[in-house]
Amino acid sequence: MKAIQVIKPFEVAIVDVMKPEISDGHDVLIRVTSGGICGSDVGIYNGSNSLATYPRIIGHEFGGFVQEIGKDVSSVKIGDRVAINPVVSCGKCYACSIGHSNVCSTLEVIGVHRDGGFSEFVKVPEGNVHRFSTDFEETLLGLVEPFSIGMQVNNRAQITKGDKVLIMGAGPIGMTILQVAKSRGAAVMVSDIVSERLVRALAMGADAIVDISTEDVQNRVLQFTNGEGMPVVVDTACLPKTFEQSIALASPAGRVVVIGLKSAPSAIAMADITKKELTIIGSRLNLNCFETVIESFEKGSLHPEQLTTSQYPFEQIQEALNDLVAHPERELKVVLTF
Ligand code: MN
């Protein structure tokens, strides 16, 4: 079978590898139909993802049909449409023991720490497989994962009806956070430097947009909140500077959510946190979000089709990566079809 392998930084190829075989009673073999290219896949490709090792079959946003099941599998059957949660945890460490398996001390992500789903077939543990109950569009099955990130951020920040939220960054993840926050009845402001992305944010329901290349975000936040500052700030730009800005833009008693994996430090004064009694929240991957995201896709309260801007057959991974990197004004989620 064919798979997409990053051999080393800046070298990606379609390789022939052995089709996986069921070996454990709880194994599920998936025939992949679609995958979303993530910024972290680009990071593995260009060598900037600190978690990556090479060579690696990439892809952590993928879904498809159940092709074969181990003898002990009971939650899915052959032919089911499914999405795969890429988070693999031990179940025994402290984080797992208190219900935070998404930050397991020996966490592995399928497609990052181990070979992933950009492959014609992939074998995964039953517990990572989540089924659709309708004939949902098969090119969108791979988009449950990015929406699970958006849902996790909303869960972590306890975003609810009536909340005011600033999302810094209108990239794919910013958009999933926006869609989930709007589905919960929050009022959402989105900032970015790419005006085309801000137009898309408006189309997805943003209540206000801020082009930070021409506008002062602090003024806009104060207008939007009657001078109080923003109750919830989510930094999806993930730069040392934007983390500092999030702290400044948050209201007293506000929550600030960070999702970045960069190790460069920010300069933040403790007084700025103490005086406003801010809650600073990390949000990583997802915890039990797959079923809710799938239900929301099926009932139409979340819209993965609005995130998809291009589709490429998987053999054209090089063109797809080039397109994604070169055209942030045009692309949000580039979907590979298998
Ligand atoms: Mn992703």
Side-chain angles (χ1 to χ4, degrees):
M1 66 162 194
K2 296 199 183 325
I4 296 173
Q5 191 178 59
V6 178
I7 295 155
K8 59 183 192 209
F10 295 105
E11 193 177 331
V12 66
I14 305 298
V15 293
D16 260 306
V17 293
M18 291 282 287
K19 182 176 163 185
E21 285 177 5
I22 301 282
S23 51
D24 181 275
H26 287 285
D27 282 344
V28 179
L29 187 70
I30 311 292
R31 177 172 67 80
V32 176
T33 60
S34 66
I37 303 180
C38 182
S40 65
D41 296 314
V42 176
I44 297 172
Y45 170 66
N46 67 22
S48 67
N49 185 322
S50 60
L51 303 172
T53 54
Y54 301 89
R56 176 67 61 230
I57 295 173
I58 54 173
H60 60 270
E61 302 177 2
F62 61 102
F65 290 91
V66 174
Q67 175 84 6
E68 224 183 299
I69 56 175
K71 64 178 173 34
D72 302 317
V73 170
S74 58
S75 60
V76 291
K77 57 183 192 309
I78 292 169
D80 278 351
R81 267 165 221 252
V82 293
I84 314 307
N85 183 357
V87 181
V88 181
S89 44
C90 76
K92 299 185 190 82
C93 69
Y94 169 71
C96 283
S97 77
I98 62 158
H100 289 262
S101 54
N102 56 316
V103 288
C104 170
S105 61
T106 55
L107 176 77
E108 290 199 338
V109 179
I110 298 171
V112 180
H113 307 85
R114 57 169 83 177
D115 279 341
F118 288 175
S119 179
E120 290 178 295
F121 295 91
V122 61
K123 181 175 75 173
V124 292
E126 178 183 12
N128 291 69
V129 183
H130 298 274
R131 62 184 294 276
F132 285 73
S133 50
T134 62
D135 290 347
F136 200 75
E137 169 57 42
E138 58 185 79
T139 59
L140 298 174
L141 302 179
L143 298 195
V144 177
E145 198 278 339
F147 276 87
S148 78
I149 306 289
M151 185 154 294
Q152 179 74 8
V153 165
N154 275 265
N155 290 347
R156 291 282 293 154
Q158 300 180 316
I159 292 172
T160 181
K161 190 172 167 58
D163 260 327
K164 286 186 176 171
V165 181
L166 170 66
I167 300 169
M168 302 169 81
I173 293 303
M175 298 302 202
T176 67
I177 298 165
L178 165 64
Q179 284 197 24
V180 176
K182 286 310 299 175
S183 75
R184 293 181 177 197
V188 183
M189 171 179 264
V190 179
S191 66
D192 204 291
I193 48 171
V194 181
S195 58
E196 291 87 346
R197 287 191 161 185
L198 291 169
V199 171
R200 284 185 200 276
L202 271 185
M204 280 187 222
D207 299 273
I209 53 173
V210 184
D211 185 337
I212 57 169
S213 60
T214 57
E215 293 178 276
D216 183 88
V217 66
Q218 177 124 33
N219 281 341
R220 292 292 311 281
V221 163
L222 291 174
Q223 281 165 17
F224 191 70
T225 59
N226 304 319
E228 296 214 70
M230 197 60 84
V232 182
V233 182
V234 185
D235 177 15
T236 79
C238 309
L239 301 169
K241 180 94 186 148
T242 53
F243 184 28
E244 292 162 15
Q245 283 172 340
S246 320
I247 302 292
L249 294 171
S251 69
R255 296 97 88 191
V256 173
V257 186
V258 290
I259 62 168
L261 286 167
K262 293 200 174 71
S263 47
S266 302
I268 292 168
M270 60 186 90
D272 293 336
I273 297 173
T274 310
K275 281 194 285 186
K276 294 197 275 191
E277 204 173 52
L278 296 182
T279 304
I280 316 284
I281 305 163
S283 184
R284 189 169 185 197
L285 298 161
N286 84 95
L287 179 67
N288 303 329
C289 293
F290 264 61
E291 314 236 310
T292 322
V293 170
I294 289 172
E295 279 167 26
S296 305
F297 280 12
E298 292 187 319
K299 69 172 196 248
S301 58
L302 294 176
H303 301 281
E305 71 285 356
Q306 294 181 353
L307 205 67
T308 306
T309 44
S310 310
Q311 274 185 33
Y312 286 86
F314 77 95
E315 294 90 340
Q316 292 177 23
I317 179 65
Q318 184 73 64
E319 292 84 345
L321 284 168
N322 293 349
D323 180 25
L324 189 57
V325 172
H327 294 289
E329 81 293 353
R330 190 174 72 206
E331 301 300 346
L332 278 175
K333 187 56 75 181
V334 174
V335 167
L336 299 172
T337 56
F338 290 79

